[in-house]
Amino acid sequence: MASASTKYNSHSLENESIKRTSQDGLNQDLNETVPRLPGETLITDKEVIYICPFNGPIKGRVYITNYRLYLRSLETDSALILDVPLGVISRIEKMGGATSRGENSYGLDITCKDMRNLRFALKQEGHSRRDMFETLTRYAFPLAHSLPLFAFLNEEKFNVDGWTVYNPVEEYQRQGLPNHNWRITFINKCYELCETYPALLMVPYRTSDEDLRRVAAFRSRNRIPVLSWIHPENKTAIVRCSQPLVGMSGKRNKDDEKYLDAIRETNKQNSKLTIYDARPSVNAVANKATGGGYESDDAYHNAELSFLDIHNIHVMRESLKKVRDIVYPNVEESHWLSSLESTHWLEHIKLVLTGAIQVADKVSSGKSSVLVHCSDGWDRTAQLTSLAMLMLDSFYRSIEGFEVLVQKEWISFGHKFASRIGHGDKNHADADRSPIFLQFIDCVWQMSKQFPTAFEFNERFLITILDHLYSCRFGTFLFNCESARERQKVPERTVSLWSMINSNKEKFKNPFYTKEIDRVLYPVASMRHLELWVNYYIRWNPRIKQQQPNPVEQRYMELLALRDDYIKRLEELQLANSAKLSDPPTSPSQMMPHVQTHF
Amino acid sequence: SDDKINSEPKIKKLEPVLLPGEIVVNEVNFVRKCIATDTSQYDLWGKLICSNFKISFITDDPMPLQKFHYRNLLLGQHDVPLTCIEQIVTVNDHKRKQKVLGPNQKLKFNPTELIIYCKDFRIVRFRFDESGPESAKKVCLAIAHYSQPTDLQLLFAFEYVGKKYHNSASRINGVSPEGGGRGGMGAGGGTPSQKTPLFETYSDWDREIKRTGASGWRVCSINEGYMISTCLPEYFVVPSSLADQDLKIFSHSFVGRRMPLWCWSHSNGSALVRMALIKDVLQQRKIDQRICNAITKSHPQRSDVYKLDLDKTLPNIQEIQAAFVKLKQLCVNEPFEETEEKWLSSLENTRWLEYVRIFLKHSAEVVYMLESKRLSVVLQEEEGRDLSCLVASLVQVMLDAYFRTITGFQSLIQKEWVMAGYQFLDRCNHLKRSEKESPLFLLFLDATWQLLEQYPAAFEFSETYLAVLYDSTRISLFGTFLFNSPHQRVKQSTEFAISKNIQLGDEKGLKFPSVWDWSLQFTAKDRTLFHNPFYIGKSMPCVQNGSVKAFKRTKKSYSSTLRGMPSSLKNGILSDQELLPRRNSLVLKRKPDPLQHTDGQNSDMEQYLREWFSKPADLHGVILPQLSGAHIKLWKLCYFRWVPEAQIHLGGPITAFHKLSLLVDEVDVLSSMLRQQHSSPLQACDTDLDQGRMFFRARGLPASAGTPEFLSSSFPFSPVGNLCRRSILGTPLSKFLSGAKIWLSTETLANED
């Protein structure tokens, strides 16, 4: 929250927690306590100068709890409130030393994971900076201090349990599985085959568990090919895995070759199995040096391999850094488009979307089943399979369907959220961190821009997911894989993000949603259509602020209300008239064949 | 009755559908029209004709692949008006020859292929493999000849309107010469068919003065019969304190005798005025002083006058034209895939968006002067008939909600463009001979689109309306966009009338059909696509009472529940340049330099904008554009509608438009049912209901109906057959074209003996 007005940005995370204060508008009671979640405790408070990059220095009082940093302006004409979950903090630095001169040159500089930077100036006397630094460090990086993440202390209660949203058996049943070509295996029940995979896996019917074990030996981190999604009619499948352990010597593995053939044969097409290696081909070749590689033509006669040229986590991290440089605190003005181009962010988005479109198209056309992998099969692979599934299966475009998709392809299949985000970890420069999931959500947003009626959820839903990707308020994105989550009893000990969202669904609905069952969505992955997601990346800048609430959605809701009002009045009138004429009343909703349901 | 120019829409056996006065000048049979970019399998067979109005391809073959056709009543599906043709390229692929055809040129080979580059971004292509080689050549030459006439009176509108006058007794074909002028929307469905004021008469100006509540301004008739200036309208508005006699004297000192013209007045009394430069150096100061004093006197608070020299602050018409050419090259000519990688920087390099932004920015500045500083503003420009048209109209779109209605917007174009002497003939380059071509009018539509994009509920019209309006500038049938000035219309058409023995009676020149008579181009149903379902309408501003209250923001829109609250501004504002040092820098810039602070104007304006943006926008009041790079966007419907690769099937903003239209339609039905119930339940069904306001109708649809199959991001246009970029002789089209230009110059040299 960088300015007073942003406070009403309904897309920001703070919205849930400060609802109380925002309702009474200007007349805020300065003595009012800091908003607090059940389980949240106040640690300290200090008088500071918040150096707002947009409005200049503002005197305020900062409150630090075990969950958030909360600042309220002490200046009478400013209603500024800053509400930052400590989870978004990636780095805390001291600025200025004992000899620093000049106003506001002594204080703290806080780098956040959500594209902003916060600066506070403190008094040099009385150790106030040291106190604040230490408190913040302790609670923003609890792992280094043997403290629990806030999610384990959060005592929020919701009337919906988000942990029940995804049940793998039900989801496979929804897809019509198992069938006579695919079976569920319990081989990974205690994560003994593959530590980073879920317990339940869907594999070709005729491959035995014994065979699976031998395949696992030939796949990086034992992440064997398993089914993600099957086409309801043509029965072609999307299968995911990690790279084969080919190595420099070009090792082969009969079991792996046989297994891929078994996958190919699960549908009745006689065509080859399509393998999409998400990486650029040079990277795939380079991986041979570390024991990895890709499926060669010689070894896999019945497969056709193409590379999708998507770069690795390090490239994506650097790209996002560049985006940040051009949008925060000030938006590059004079050469906006070429600056944007030089970040390559949209180019990466384009490649991910293009890859997913190819996967979706292959499967939807019924030409062949598709195997997707990258190196370990938990970053680019997750992006490709989940986006392709979103294009193919309208269920995933509903709110709960999308939750299932994230829960399944990302959380259960071991996208390393803990490493990529660095929850509660102070090592901000960790090379394992990368905005892969953000990139996926960005792709979803791009799709929703191109198809404004195809998704049940709105932009706020996506932004809320991203906010809680960092906040550590919910257990949903904590830890790297299912086995770790199970060890930590995450579902028992934490609240799911989906509990909060699903108990408040109206807020996250797209009024233009038109449910269409069988439609495959092919976005146009062209720079002509891809846009920087301004409402996310530039949301802290009050000058870039988009109108809130979205005027278009707003208009739709107003008209819905008007329609309902008319229907009510008509019914009343007709009732009155029919009483006079003693005719049987016709309800206006009967006369209107197209009465939509009120959201 | 105006609705039926083509009373028989069905095409007879390969016979062209001709308008009154239209004649076929040449034709060729067994022509193939290319449809798809990558294959010839969809090509159509038919006859290609060249008339004095259009080129027309007549075929019995059904159009493949296309799911929707937005039919223009004046044109067949495959027709191109001659005035829409930008360039004609003929090719002979056996001899490997190609030539860009100018008028009166020879063609030394028989063309096997004809490529028409259109001004509306289409590229249409025909093949003559099976046609008679001589006839093919003749048609190409005829097209080249007729699409590049040397004289204004050769434009089809003259022939058409002449025929109308001859036929006016029998009135067979619809448009009456008198009635064609004032076009209403006539879309039915409860919208009262409102006439667009054309500002040709005294009373239109007088009504506009009253509508804006301007005091201290009067209509001046000294230019009746164009006695003072041939590029000013006959009637215009001037400060009341300036007498006709003075104006006559002053007028000599202005370029083109274009003295100050009133455009509009704010309810606070400040006025927007446009004028040419004072060329008389000796008199300059004196006249300038007199004019400014008069404008000050016309202000109820006697506020000062703020002058904006547009020539110094804005790009000139050549620069704008250059940007447009680059934009067009990038959007349609260049191969799609090759331009992807550098798309953003290439787009930036066209400078088109930069110019859109500059115009919006300067217009917003004028809004600030008028609205917040309560100063009258004078837009000054050399001749005062190019950039001023754009700025004056944008300012009014931002300030006055009336100009965001269809009728209001049309009246604005009449007032600030047509009547103010914007040189449509030269700027649109209808005669294809001037170096004066410049797309200022498109730039205005684009800038308006940016506002529509940012405030979708503030406009009565849709982006389809804006695109269709742009296309209409390329149809040489309407008088609206045909002339350099109202005087030119009178002069040229009087000459024409005399030469054709047409009795004009009391009329000043021929009455050409007005573009605002949309029924000439589109059916009532198709015209409903002009309506924006997001628009939050209000009863039309009342003209009778004089003062209009629409400008004031209502108290309730400040309500904190809606959006934001005033942000804290006490601490001065960091301007864009004052970046905070990113990290580890000990010196922080906290407050603006005192020096910068003295630059009061800018920071005041900043503050005004800031305060404005911190409050909810009143859609019936002022709207201001967001101007960051991220907010100024490319108008995709206009520039990508013919590009097949950019088409989002079943997607794009139109899908939300569709969904909302259904709801609006439903609400309309309910409200009319309510009205009936109130009046008399036994009354016959309201006729309004048969003709809804919306193109997409809820009635009769099953509740489960999804997005119609024919929707795409190009809707209602379709790229099928309209952008044929197949390579020629193995050369990609874009490279081919630039090659052709070079080749042309050498061949012409060699040929001309």
Side-chain angles (χ1 to χ4, degrees):
Chain A
M1 292 257 94
S3 86
S5 43
T6 329
K7 187 173 140 198
Y8 289 87
N9 184 336
S10 53
H11 289 326
S12 63
L13 157 72
E14 291 71 27
N15 200 274
E16 327 316 330
S17 44
I18 59 165
K19 209 188 281 166
R20 247 173 335 132
T21 50
S22 61
Q23 267 163 358
D24 49 21
L26 281 159
N27 309 315
Q28 277 185 36
D29 180 3
L30 288 180
N31 297 319
E32 196 189 338
T33 49
V34 185
R36 223 174 292 172
L37 297 170
E40 183 178 356
T41 50
L42 183 68
I43 311 294
T44 182
D45 66 279
K46 292 251 173 313
E47 199 169 293
V48 298
I49 309 267
Y50 167 57
I51 302 161
C52 173
F54 311 107
N55 293 326
I58 292 165
K59 199 166 151 194
R61 178 163 289 277
V62 69
Y63 302 83
I64 299 168
T65 74
N66 54 352
Y67 171 65
R68 79 183 88 207
L69 178 157
Y70 187 89
L71 175 126
R72 184 182 290 129
S73 162
L74 293 175
E75 293 177 31
T76 46
D77 62 344
S78 162
L80 183 126
I81 280 175
L82 207 60
D83 189 348
V84 188
L86 300 179
V88 311
I89 296 176
S90 80
R91 182 181 194 184
I92 308 164
E93 287 167 285
K94 293 175 182 165
M95 54 175 194
T99 56
S100 289
R101 255 172 261 286
E103 220 183 323
N104 300 340
S105 59
Y106 181 85
L108 292 177
D109 185 324
I110 298 171
T111 311
C112 298
K113 297 169 183 174
D114 61 0
M115 312 293 285
R116 54 185 164 162
N117 245 64
L118 306 171
R119 281 172 169 251
F120 299 102
L122 291 127
K123 290 193 193 78
Q124 274 170 304
E125 314 81 53
H127 303 298
S128 69
R129 182 173 78 172
R130 196 188 64 196
D131 286 353
M132 187 167 161
F133 179 81
E134 279 172 5
T135 313
L136 275 178
T137 307
R138 200 173 155 81
Y139 289 95
F141 311 126
L143 297 192
H145 300 87
S146 315
L147 287 169
L149 292 164
F150 178 74
F152 291 101
L153 305 170
N154 185 2
E155 291 162 13
E156 279 177 281
K157 296 272 181 290
F158 293 96
N159 50 23
V160 180
D161 181 9
W163 292 118
T164 62
V165 161
Y166 175 61
N167 174 322
V169 175
E170 278 171 23
E171 167 56 15
Y172 287 124
Q173 271 169 359
R174 190 191 66 85
Q175 295 187 24
L177 295 170
N179 61 15
H180 52 275
N181 281 313
W182 294 91
R183 67 180 179 95
I184 289 178
T185 172
F186 297 96
I187 188 175
N188 203 36
K189 197 170 158 224
C190 303
Y191 310 103
E192 60 271 52
L193 177 79
C194 171
E195 211 202 335
T196 58
Y197 258 7
L200 226 84
L201 299 170
M202 187 64 67
V203 294
Y205 192 82
R206 66 183 179 86
T207 309
S208 70
D209 283 0
E210 233 8 81
D211 291 339
L212 293 176
R213 282 196 189 91
R214 285 195 294 270
V215 173
F218 192 63
R219 289 280 163 179
S220 173
R221 298 173 201 271
N222 297 346
R223 293 171 68 94
I224 58 167
V226 294
L227 178 138
S228 277
W229 190 79
I230 188 164
H231 193 284
E233 269 115 50
N234 67 39
K235 304 296 176 197
T236 53
I238 298 176
V239 176
R240 61 181 290 172
C241 60
S242 61
Q243 64 182 341
L245 298 175
V246 174
M248 292 299 268
S249 57
K251 265 184 291 193
R252 287 180 59 167
N253 180 305
K254 283 284 165 221
D255 295 299
D256 193 70
E257 290 162 25
K258 213 174 84 191
Y259 183 58
L260 260 54
D261 222 37
I263 292 170
R264 183 182 65 86
E265 285 168 359
T266 54
N267 63 45
K268 295 291 163 262
Q269 319 296 328
N270 285 321
S271 57
K272 293 186 168 183
L273 175 72
T274 306
I275 302 175
Y276 284 117
D277 187 325
R279 302 166 291 185
S281 58
V282 278
N283 297 29
V285 172
N287 257 286
K288 285 187 175 180
T290 49
Y294 53 91
E295 294 82 356
S296 70
D297 291 344
D298 301 342
Y300 299 84
H301 302 294
N302 288 325
E304 224 170 59
L305 175 90
S306 351
F307 296 101
L308 296 177
D309 292 324
I310 302 167
H311 287 278
N312 62 27
I313 59 166
H314 311 293
V315 175
M316 302 309 177
R317 183 179 56 235
E318 293 316 307
S319 175
L320 186 67
K321 256 188 204 152
K322 286 183 191 151
V323 172
R324 182 193 171 114
D325 287 343
I326 66 164
V327 301
Y328 194 92
N330 292 296
V331 179
E332 168 66 47
E333 279 294 335
S334 52
H335 293 287
W336 167 250
L337 291 174
S338 47
S339 311
L340 182 57
E341 184 176 282
S342 67
T343 69
H344 298 289
W345 182 253
L346 293 180
E347 209 180 308
H348 296 311
I349 297 275
K350 178 183 161 164
L351 283 169
V352 173
L353 276 173
T354 306
I357 290 168
Q358 290 185 62
V359 174
D361 182 51
K362 193 62 90 178
V363 169
S364 145
S365 67
K367 285 192 188 105
S368 77
S369 286
V370 172
L371 182 83
V372 184
H373 70 71
C374 45
S375 297
D376 289 315
W378 51 40
D379 292 311
R380 287 166 278 199
T381 301
Q383 288 179 332
L384 290 169
T385 57
S386 55
L387 285 170
M389 287 156 75
L390 196 63
M391 293 170 196
L392 290 162
D393 190 339
S394 61
F395 167 69
Y396 299 124
R397 293 173 222 145
S398 67
I399 288 178
E400 293 210 12
F402 191 77
E403 293 166 359
V404 167
L405 185 70
V406 169
Q407 205 69 47
K408 178 178 184 307
E409 288 303 300
W410 291 86
I411 298 171
S412 86
F413 272 97
H415 172 68
K416 300 202 294 175
F417 281 105
S419 308
R420 297 289 175 256
I421 307 302
H423 293 131
D425 175 46
K426 68 176 194 312
N427 188 6
H428 63 88
D430 189 343
D432 252 357
R433 293 199 187 175
S434 186
I436 300 303
F437 186 73
L438 164 64
Q439 196 173 45
F440 158 70
I441 295 289
D442 193 329
C443 290
V444 175
W445 178 81
Q446 303 283 353
M447 284 179 67
S448 74
K449 277 292 275 187
Q450 295 193 18
F451 300 101
T453 62
F455 296 86
E456 191 192 5
F457 47 84
N458 58 15
E459 188 179 51
R460 177 194 283 196
F461 175 75
L462 296 177
I463 293 178
T464 304
I465 290 175
L466 289 177
D467 282 340
H468 293 296
L469 173 66
Y470 308 120
S471 77
C472 296
R473 176 170 149 195
F474 302 103
T476 304
F477 297 114
L478 302 184
F479 302 101
N480 280 335
C481 55
E482 202 176 281
S483 60
R485 255 167 246 125
E486 206 155 286
R487 275 197 302 278
Q488 297 293 334
K489 300 194 165 42
V490 170
E492 293 86 3
R493 294 169 59 208
T494 70
V495 180
S496 162
L497 167 61
W498 317 128
S499 305
M500 190 270 279
I501 286 178
N502 293 355
S503 59
N504 209 348
K505 246 182 180 172
E506 289 309 311
K507 254 171 68 178
F508 302 104
K509 279 188 175 170
N510 167 17
F512 295 104
Y513 179 51
T514 310
K515 196 170 176 179
E516 282 173 299
I517 305 299
D518 290 326
R519 198 171 127 201
V520 182
L521 288 192
Y522 290 117
V524 176
S526 153
M527 294 309 292
R528 285 154 169 87
H529 286 297
L530 300 180
E531 284 176 42
L532 188 77
W533 186 6
V534 169
N535 283 352
Y536 181 74
Y537 299 107
I538 323 188
R539 63 181 157 153
W540 310 121
N541 189 327
R543 271 171 243 187
I544 306 295
K545 196 167 52 109
Q546 303 276 330
Q547 295 170 66
Q548 290 305 334
N550 178 329
V552 169
E553 287 183 20
Q554 176 83 359
R555 174 85 180 123
Y556 197 85
M557 303 315 281
E558 283 166 11
L559 278 168
L560 274 181
L562 189 62
R563 187 198 61 178
D564 293 347
D565 177 52
Y566 281 176
I567 290 180
K568 207 178 108 214
R569 280 162 55 191
L570 259 179
E571 265 161 356
E572 285 165 8
L573 267 169
Q574 280 173 344
L575 218 63
N577 283 332
S578 66
K580 270 185 253 160
L581 299 167
S582 67
D583 271 344
T586 355
S587 124
S589 40
Q590 281 172 315
M591 293 167 70
M592 286 296 306
H594 189 72
V595 170
Q596 291 133 323
T597 32
H598 195 160
F599 296 112
Chain B
S1 66
D2 282 3
D3 226 343
K4 294 186 180 86
I5 262 205
N6 293 329
S7 45
E8 285 175 303
K10 78 170 176 14
I11 298 167
K12 292 172 207 144
K13 196 72 186 165
L14 298 195
E15 284 306 314
V17 180
L18 299 177
L19 296 171
E22 185 176 3
I23 47 162
V24 174
V25 294
N26 227 310
E27 60 179 56
V28 53
N29 272 302
F30 308 110
V31 177
R32 215 170 81 202
K33 186 188 177 188
C34 305
I35 296 299
T37 308
D38 46 349
T39 167
S40 56
Q41 65 166 312
Y42 301 111
D43 290 359
L44 306 177
W45 288 95
K47 178 155 92 176
L48 180 66
I49 69 134
C50 170
S51 79
N52 54 347
F53 171 55
K54 65 183 180 236
I55 60 167
S56 185
F57 177 77
I58 311 147
T59 179
D60 275 343
D61 298 346
M63 187 69 173
L65 308 171
Q66 196 180 45
K67 298 185 180 97
F68 183 85
H69 172 55
Y70 196 51
R71 183 156 169 265
N72 189 313
L73 298 172
L74 297 172
L75 296 160
Q77 186 167 13
H78 304 284
D79 296 358
V80 180
L82 293 175
T83 32
C84 187
I85 294 174
E86 167 98 55
Q87 196 162 35
I88 300 152
V89 180
T90 48
V91 182
N92 181 308
D93 40 14
H94 312 301
K95 295 187 176 167
R96 304 189 67 79
K97 287 202 163 184
Q98 56 208 30
K99 178 165 178 162
V100 178
L101 273 188
N104 295 319
Q105 272 188 326
K106 286 176 193 156
L107 187 56
K108 294 207 304 193
F109 56 83
N110 290 323
T112 53
E113 185 158 341
L114 169 69
I115 306 162
I116 309 277
Y117 290 81
C118 303
K119 289 184 171 177
D120 62 4
F121 285 43
R122 283 183 292 168
I123 302 173
V124 197
R125 207 156 146 173
F126 302 99
R127 291 213 39 108
F128 302 120
D129 304 280
E130 311 291 326
S131 341
E134 279 301 316
S135 330
K137 185 173 176 173
K138 277 183 189 151
V139 159
C140 292
L141 291 170
I143 294 171
H145 182 75
Y146 281 88
S147 66
Q148 304 171 62
T150 48
D151 190 273
L152 175 58
Q153 290 178 33
L154 294 173
L155 290 176
F156 175 67
F158 283 86
E159 216 44 65
Y160 175 82
V161 82
K163 192 61 100 192
K164 289 284 177 187
Y165 273 81
H166 279 301
N167 291 348
S168 61
S170 50
R171 293 268 178 93
I172 306 165
N173 257 315
V175 199
S176 75
E178 306 82 30
R182 305 212 138 196
M185 273 298 294
T191 339
S193 173
Q194 278 219 321
K195 294 284 185 199
T196 299
L198 299 179
F199 292 97
E200 284 173 346
T201 59
Y202 185 99
S203 57
D204 280 352
W205 287 103
D206 198 46
R207 266 196 292 271
E208 183 70 355
I209 290 178
K210 296 207 172 80
R211 190 188 68 80
T212 58
S215 58
W217 298 89
R218 67 178 180 93
V219 187
C220 158
S221 328
I222 54 170
N223 201 34
E224 255 175 15
Y226 306 97
M227 301 302 280
I228 302 287
S229 168
T230 53
C231 59
L232 286 180
E234 288 194 276
Y235 307 98
F236 47 84
V237 175
V238 297
S240 304
S241 59
L242 288 177
D244 283 356
Q245 207 44 45
D246 293 333
L247 287 169
K248 278 182 192 163
I249 296 165
F250 294 156
S251 73
H252 292 283
S253 308
F254 286 93
V255 176
R257 300 190 73 177
R258 291 177 64 91
M259 57 192 99
L261 307 176
W262 171 87
C263 304
W264 183 83
S265 280
H266 193 284
S267 56
N268 67 23
S270 52
L272 179 65
V273 177
R274 51 193 285 185
M275 68 183 200
L277 292 184
I278 303 166
K279 59 183 177 188
D280 185 341
V281 189
L282 295 171
Q283 299 281 310
Q284 207 168 11
R285 271 194 71 163
K286 193 188 109 196
I287 295 173
D288 203 53
Q289 201 57 55
R290 286 286 305 273
I291 302 287
C292 286
N293 285 344
I295 295 173
T296 302
K297 260 189 212 161
S298 293
H299 195 295
Q301 278 94 50
R302 306 287 179 267
S303 296
D304 278 344
V305 172
Y306 177 79
K307 255 199 197 158
L308 190 60
D309 188 339
L310 302 183
D311 292 319
K312 287 194 184 125
T313 49
L314 290 165
N316 64 35
I317 60 164
Q318 288 84 14
E319 286 166 328
I320 294 167
Q321 171 68 6
F324 175 70
V325 170
K326 281 190 201 158
L327 177 74
K328 192 167 163 179
Q329 180 75 15
L330 181 67
C331 287
V332 294
N333 290 11
E334 301 273 6
F336 189 89
E337 276 308 321
E338 282 175 38
T339 45
E340 274 288 288
E341 194 192 346
K342 295 271 168 222
W343 173 260
L344 294 173
S345 52
S346 307
L347 183 59
E348 183 175 289
N349 286 337
T350 69
R351 310 192 77 171
W352 181 258
L353 294 181
E354 179 188 327
Y355 293 161
V356 170
R357 181 171 167 230
I358 289 175
F359 275 95
L360 283 167
K361 185 164 178 250
H362 281 280
S363 304
E365 238 169 77
V366 175
V367 168
Y368 161 70
M369 291 298 165
L370 291 164
E371 151 123 330
S372 173
K373 303 287 271 188
R374 297 163 172 254
L375 299 177
S376 289
V377 176
V378 174
L379 306 175
Q380 210 166 17
E381 189 192 359
E382 169 96 44
E383 280 196 85
R385 55 201 293 206
D386 280 307
L387 308 177
S388 347
C389 303
L390 218 172
V391 175
S393 32
L394 273 182
V395 167
Q396 292 173 70
V397 168
M398 291 178 199
L399 277 166
D400 188 341
Y402 170 62
F403 295 122
R404 304 195 289 262
T405 66
I406 291 174
T407 308
F409 190 69
Q410 296 179 164
S411 83
L412 182 67
I413 292 169
Q414 281 294 136
K415 186 170 71 157
E416 301 302 339
W417 296 78
V418 180
M419 284 301 130
Y422 177 71
Q423 299 164 82
F424 278 104
L425 180 69
D426 291 345
R427 300 291 175 252
C428 297
N429 203 8
H430 290 315
L431 302 180
K432 297 190 192 59
R433 60 173 181 197
S434 78
E435 294 301 302
K436 300 173 191 161
E437 184 169 358
S438 190
L440 282 183
F441 188 65
L442 174 64
L443 194 63
F444 166 59
L445 297 180
D446 193 320
T448 305
W449 178 83
Q450 307 285 344
L451 290 165
L452 169 62
E453 178 74 3
Q454 293 181 16
Y455 302 95
F459 290 82
E460 191 188 11
F461 47 83
S462 62
E463 63 171 328
T464 299
Y465 169 81
L466 291 174
V468 163
L469 183 53
Y470 172 58
D471 292 345
S472 302
T473 63
R474 307 298 183 191
I475 301 176
S476 61
L477 188 120
F478 308 107
T480 317
F481 303 130
L482 216 52
F483 302 100
N484 282 337
S485 65
H487 170 258
Q488 192 183 33
R489 175 184 66 80
V490 173
K491 183 167 173 283
Q492 294 273 345
S493 66
T494 307
E495 276 177 32
F496 183 83
I498 292 166
S499 73
K500 296 279 169 175
N501 257 328
I502 297 167
Q503 301 300 315
L504 283 174
D506 295 342
E507 281 173 44
K508 294 170 185 164
L510 298 170
K511 285 274 181 207
F512 291 85
S514 164
V515 78
W516 314 128
D517 194 348
W518 291 107
S519 64
L520 291 176
Q521 291 192 71
F522 300 98
T523 62
K525 163 80 175 164
D526 282 355
R527 288 196 304 271
T528 54
L529 263 187
F530 297 175
H531 290 287
N532 171 14
F534 295 98
Y535 180 56
I536 299 176
K538 206 178 182 182
S539 55
M540 291 299 155
C542 48
V543 183
Q544 305 99 305
N545 294 343
S547 81
V548 173
K549 301 219 162 61
F551 311 108
K552 284 178 194 141
R553 278 205 219 182
T554 50
K555 197 94 186 178
K556 70 169 195 288
S557 56
Y558 286 105
S559 139
S560 62
T561 53
L562 268 173
R563 188 186 72 166
M565 55 171 71
S567 49
S568 56
L569 293 160
K570 189 185 145 205
N571 288 299
I573 294 133
L574 291 170
S575 72
D576 285 342
Q577 295 78 27
E578 296 173 292
L579 282 161
L580 277 172
R582 283 205 60 80
R583 60 173 71 251
N584 298 334
S585 163
L586 301 186
V587 191
L588 278 168
K589 217 170 214 174
R590 289 166 309 275
K591 289 184 179 173
D593 283 344
L595 269 176
Q596 273 178 327
H597 220 63
T598 55
D599 186 12
Q601 198 81 293
N602 263 335
S603 64
D604 282 356
M605 159 106 178
E606 261 278 287
Q607 172 137 356
Y608 166 73
L609 291 178
R610 216 170 238 260
E611 251 169 70
W612 190 87
F613 280 110
S614 71
K615 291 166 198 158
D618 171 12
L619 299 174
H620 299 290
V622 181
I623 55 169
L624 289 170
Q626 301 244 37
L627 292 166
S628 79
H631 281 110
I632 302 298
K633 296 175 183 167
L634 189 68
W635 183 12
K636 291 180 196 165
L637 180 73
C638 189
Y639 308 125
F640 290 160
R641 55 188 156 151
W642 316 120
V643 182
E645 300 94 326
Q647 201 183 10
I648 307 169
H649 180 56
L650 282 166
I654 190 72
T655 53
F657 181 104
H658 165 256
K659 178 93 177 174
L660 185 61
S661 298
L662 297 184
L663 182 58
V664 169
D665 186 53
E666 214 181 315
V667 170
D668 283 353
V669 173
L670 287 167
S671 113
S672 113
M673 282 164 76
L674 259 177
R675 272 200 313 273
Q676 278 175 44
Q677 290 282 336
H678 274 296
S679 49
S680 154
L682 298 171
Q683 200 178 37
C685 194
D686 203 43
T687 42
D688 278 9
L689 277 177
D690 305 327
Q691 195 73 81
R693 276 193 298 152
M694 293 294 123
F695 184 81
F696 301 106
R697 309 280 293 275
R699 273 146 282 179
L701 280 180
S704 60
T707 311
E709 189 55 22
F710 57 77
L711 287 190
S712 82
S713 56
S714 290
F715 183 88
F717 311 99
S718 160
V720 177
N722 284 325
L723 187 71
C724 218
R725 284 186 301 203
R726 245 179 264 171
S727 67
I728 301 157
L729 313 173
T731 317
L733 197 52
S734 56
K735 300 203 169 96
F736 167 82
L737 188 65
S738 44
K741 272 180 186 153
I742 297 159
W743 188 83
L744 168 70
S745 51
T746 51
E747 199 226 32
T748 328
L749 280 175
N751 268 348
E752 250 52 84
D753 37 9

